[in-house]
Amino acid sequence: MDIGTTTQFAGLLRDHRDELLKRWTANAGTGLRGRLAEAELARQIRELYDALRGTVVTEGELTLDSPAAVELRAVLGELSRQRALHGFTATETAISVFALKEAVLGVLDAGESGSLRLFVAVSQFVDELGLFTFEAYSRTREALIAEQAEQLLELSTPVVKLWDGVVAVPLVGTLDSARAQVVMERLLQTLVDTGSPYAIIDITGVPAVDTQVAQHILKTVVAARLMGADCVISGIRPQIAQTIVALGIEFGDIVTKASLADALMHTLRAGGFELNRRAVRRD
Amino acid sequence: MALADSGGDVEALPITADEDVVRVRQLVRSRAVAAKLSLIDQTKLVTAASELARNTLVHGGGGRAEVSTVTNGRRNGIRVHFADDGPGIADLDLAMTDGYTSGTGMGLGLSGARRLVDEFDIDTGPGAGTRVTVTKWSR
Ligand SMILES: Nc1ncnc2c1ncn2[C@@H]1O[C@H](COP(=O)(O)OP(=O)(O)OP(=O)(O)O)[C@@H](O)[C@H]1O
Ligand SMILES: [Mg+2]
C-alpha cells in the first residue's frame, strides 16, 4: 500500500472504529457459527484492530513484513495459534481476518473519489494478513502433529511382563532409529523396575530386517546384558531368516527362537522354573 | 547386464529423508507382490532396496530411486535403480567387502544387497556419484 492510500486507511480506522469493530466482529462470527463465545471473539477482533491501527498510522509504505508491523504479526500469530490449538479449522481462522474486508466495504462511501482504490489496496493487505494467519496456523498444527506422533511412538512400543522374571517387547512395523531408541530405553527401564533376568524381543511384526534394524536389536541386547539380563530374539520367520543369512548378519551367541512361545519356554527352562520342567518332561 | 524390456511403468521416488527410505521399501514391496515374486524373494528384494536406499541417503547425500517391472520373455522381474550425485566410491572392492564401513554401520549393506538379488550393477567413481541397479526375477 503506498503512502497516500495508507494515510486514507489510517483515517478510516481512526474515524470509524466502533462501526468497523461491530461489522468485523459480526462478519467473523458468521464464519465461526457460534463456536466461539461472542465476548471472546470481540476481544480478539479488538486486539487485532488496535494492532492494525498501530501499524497503519506509521509513515511509509504499508506491508506486513515492515518493522512497524511487529505488533500486528504477534497478535495474528497468537490468534492463529490459539485457534489451531482449540480445534478450529484453517478456514475458520482465516475467515476471521478476511471479515475485515466486508467491514471496510460497509463503511466506505461509494461516491467518494478514491474509495475503490482504497478498497482494492485494503483488500490486498488483508489477503497478506490472511496468508500470514494460514502459515502460523499450519506451523502450530505441525508442531501438534509431531507431538502426537511422539506420543504414538511411546504407545506403539509396549514392554509387557510375560512371566515372573520375563519381560517381552513385541516389535511391530518399521523400526526406525527413533523407535529403536524408545524401545531400548523402555526395555532397560522395565528391566530395572521389575528386576527381570530375561527379556524377549519379538520381531514377528517387523516386515524386513536390514542392517539398520539388526544393529538396533544387537545394541539393545548388549545394553540389556550390561544390566544383567539375557535376551532372546523370537519371531524370526523363514523369509527373514534367509534374508539375514544372505546379508551376512550374525547374531553371535544370542539365542533366537521361531516363536514367542518357544522363547518363553526357553527362558523358563533356563531360569529353572518348576512349571517349565514339568512341561518339558511331558513332551 | 542383460537388458530386458521395461514394462514402461517406471515409478520414481526422491530419497532425501528417512521416511523416503520407508516409501521406497513400500513401493518395491507392492511391485514385487504384483509381479508375483515369492514371499522370500519379496523380502530379499525389499531388504536390498532398503540397504541401497539408505546408502543413497547416508553416503550419497540423497538421490532418487526408480522402480520398474521388467520382463525377459519368460519371467517377470522388478528392477530398482538408485542414483545419487554424492562423492562416489573410490575403492569399490573395499566397499564391497563384508564388514567394511566408512561410518558406523555394519558394513554389510552393499555386499549383502548383491547377495539378495539376481542382478547387481554398480557404476561409481570418486566425484562421479553412484548408480546401482538391481533386479529380482520371479521363479
Ligand atoms: N551411494 C554411496 N555413495 C558413496 N559411498 C557409498 C555409497 N554406498 C556405499 N558407500 C560406501 O561403501 C561403504 C560400504 O557400504 P555398506 O552399505 O556395505 O556399509 P554401511 O552403509 O557403511 O553400513 P551398513 O551395514 O549399515 O549398510 C560405505 O561405508 C560407504 O563408504
Ligand atoms: Mg549401507
Side-chain angles (χ1 to χ4, degrees):
Chain A
M1 209 183 280
D2 61 38
I3 300 181
T5 326
T6 307
T7 313
Q8 229 181 322
F9 189 23
L12 195 77
L13 289 173
R14 184 189 57 230
D15 300 340
H16 299 276
R17 182 169 192 273
D18 291 346
E19 182 65 13
L20 277 172
L21 268 178
K22 206 180 88 198
R23 287 173 181 266
W24 189 356
T25 310
N27 291 340
T30 322
L32 292 172
R33 292 181 310 263
R35 288 186 53 209
L36 190 65
E38 220 167 287
E40 175 61 11
L41 178 64
R43 191 193 58 77
Q44 287 178 352
I45 300 290
R46 215 174 320 116
E47 237 179 68
L48 267 181
Y49 191 93
D50 291 338
L52 182 65
R53 252 191 92 177
T55 308
V56 177
V57 288
T58 28
E59 327 242 298
E61 237 182 84
L62 179 61
T63 60
L64 190 53
D65 43 22
S66 75
V70 59
E71 162 84 7
L72 180 57
R73 285 197 301 267
V75 173
L76 272 178
E78 183 54 23
L79 172 81
S80 314
R81 212 178 71 83
Q82 286 304 329
R83 293 283 179 90
L85 287 177
H86 289 102
F88 289 92
T89 67
T91 307
E92 285 169 337
T93 307
I95 280 179
S96 293
V97 174
F98 289 134
L100 170 62
K101 288 191 195 181
E102 236 184 286
V104 168
L105 195 62
V107 298
L108 273 182
D109 184 350
E112 201 177 310
S113 73
S115 58
L116 178 65
R117 245 183 58 143
L118 174 60
F119 180 68
V120 170
V122 168
S123 192
Q124 267 171 2
F125 183 62
V126 173
D127 285 345
E128 219 186 309
L129 303 188
L131 281 180
F132 181 88
T133 309
F134 198 82
E135 271 174 35
Y137 177 95
S138 308
R139 268 197 304 279
T140 307
R141 291 300 292 180
E142 272 161 28
L144 213 62
I145 289 167
E147 199 178 291
Q148 284 167 348
E150 219 165 273
Q151 286 166 359
L152 211 62
L153 197 69
E154 296 254 307
L155 279 179
S156 62
T157 50
V159 178
V160 293
K161 188 172 156 190
L162 276 191
W163 210 270
D164 224 13
V166 186
V167 296
V169 226
L171 297 179
V172 178
T174 303
L175 191 67
D176 56 19
S177 297
R179 260 195 79 197
Q181 189 63 34
V182 175
V183 168
M184 167 132 74
E185 279 167 16
R186 285 238 164 166
L187 178 63
L188 298 183
Q189 189 56 49
T190 311
L191 287 176
V192 173
D193 293 345
T194 60
S196 298
Y198 294 103
I200 299 172
I201 301 174
D202 187 79
I203 60 168
T204 311
V206 179
V209 175
D210 59 8
T211 56
Q212 194 186 41
V213 172
Q215 216 179 8
H216 287 319
I217 293 175
L218 288 172
K219 276 186 187 155
T220 306
V221 172
V222 170
R225 278 188 179 168
L226 287 174
M227 319 250 345
D230 246 347
C231 274
V232 177
I233 302 171
S234 72
I236 303 180
R237 290 164 295 150
Q239 65 272 25
I240 301 285
Q242 290 197 33
T243 307
I244 288 175
V245 171
L247 265 181
I249 295 169
E250 284 164 19
F251 278 130
D253 58 350
I254 299 166
V255 177
T256 55
K257 294 287 170 189
S259 71
L260 187 55
D262 290 347
L264 179 60
M265 193 61 95
H266 169 86
T267 54
L268 292 180
R269 185 182 301 157
F273 290 85
E274 261 307 296
L275 175 84
N276 168 52
R277 272 195 217 111
R278 254 182 270 132
V280 168
R281 229 177 279 136
R282 242 182 248 143
D283 62 35
Chain B
M1 188 186 68
L3 273 182
D5 281 344
S6 161
D9 50 358
V10 186
E11 243 175 292
L13 286 175
I15 304 176
T16 55
D18 266 338
E19 50 273 23
D20 294 331
V21 176
V22 178
R23 258 178 228 127
V24 169
R25 220 152 49 201
Q26 282 163 350
L27 176 62
V28 169
R29 186 179 295 278
S30 70
R31 286 299 197 90
V33 170
K36 300 206 162 54
L37 262 58
S38 71
L39 185 56
I40 286 179
D41 287 341
Q42 285 170 30
T43 309
K44 285 183 174 177
L45 180 62
V46 167
T47 307
S50 185
E51 293 300 337
L52 297 171
R54 193 166 304 105
N55 280 355
T56 301
L57 178 67
V58 174
H59 307 298
R64 65 222 151 263
E66 282 170 24
V67 186
S68 52
T69 306
V70 290
T71 175
N72 65 0
R74 290 182 303 118
R75 297 190 295 179
N76 288 331
I78 300 297
R79 174 161 299 159
V80 196
H81 177 73
F82 297 88
D84 66 62
D85 300 319
I89 301 173
D91 188 339
L92 188 56
D93 284 341
L94 183 61
M96 292 293 297
T97 307
D98 273 1
Y100 171 77
T101 173
S102 58
T104 57
M106 300 181 100
L108 292 172
L110 208 50
S111 51
R114 172 150 77 171
R115 285 188 292 267
L116 288 168
V117 296
D118 296 321
E119 286 166 28
F120 182 98
D121 185 65
I122 182 164
D123 171 26
T124 183
T130 302
R131 287 148 303 279
V132 183
T133 309
V134 295
T135 311
K136 191 89 185 162
W137 295 104
S138 63
R139 281 173 213 292

